[in-house]
Amino acid sequence: MVHVLSSRILLRPTDPERSRAFYGEQLGLAVYREFGTGAERGTVFFLGGGFLEVAGRSETPPAPAVRLWLQVDDVAAAQQELRAKGVEIVRPPVKEAWGLVEMWIADPDGTPIVLVEVPADHPIRYRPGI
């Protein structure tokens, strides 16, 4: 078995400064570290149990299959906070048939981001013996 010490998602945005502002200022992700200098510097953000690295530059947005799934405590509160920061809500919060509450937004390159709330009574929260 591979012993994973850390996990990271790497995005190469079309406009690194715009993406850094989105993830840091609008989404409010804390910076873990930065490397390099100037407009092309890389920034690594905390993502709960992993990291999001915004580094380099791409001529085209990420493939449509790339998506981010971020669990939050309260999707309704996240919706209010993000709207106040000018983030477009692609799809408002909906309780899905599988019991999770999901809201969709997108980063500046159109990468879909689902914000997920796991209700207290949802089976995904059940951990036998704990």
Side-chain angles (χ1 to χ4, degrees):
M1 174 189 227
V2 175
H3 184 81
V4 178
L5 298 176
S6 177
S7 63
R8 176 175 316 206
I9 297 165
L10 173 63
L11 288 181
R12 296 209 185 279
T14 58
D15 182 338
E17 283 295 332
R18 180 181 68 177
S19 290
R20 268 192 291 280
F22 174 79
Y23 286 105
E25 296 166 21
Q26 290 184 288
L27 218 51
L29 299 180
V31 173
Y32 170 65
R33 71 181 188 94
E34 291 187 299
F35 54 91
T37 59
E40 299 301 315
R41 75 187 180 283
T43 303
V44 181
F45 296 97
F46 282 105
L47 274 185
F51 301 97
L52 172 66
E53 182 173 329
V54 176
R57 180 184 297 267
S58 175
E59 294 300 316
T60 59
V66 174
R67 295 165 192 263
L68 298 178
W69 192 89
L70 306 176
Q71 186 176 337
V72 298
D73 289 335
D74 184 337
V75 169
Q79 178 184 26
Q80 290 177 354
E81 181 181 336
L82 293 172
R83 271 198 179 137
K85 292 180 178 181
V87 175
E88 178 186 354
I89 306 301
V90 174
R91 194 190 83 176
V94 171
K95 185 166 187 177
E96 301 291 356
W98 46 90
L100 301 177
V101 182
E102 297 185 2
M103 177 180 74
W104 288 82
I105 61 174
D107 81 358
D109 281 327
T111 301
I113 301 169
V114 60
L115 298 176
V116 178
E117 176 183 336
V118 180
D121 62 345
H122 193 277
I124 202 170
R125 287 194 183 247
Y126 176 69
R127 296 175 62 195
I130 297 179

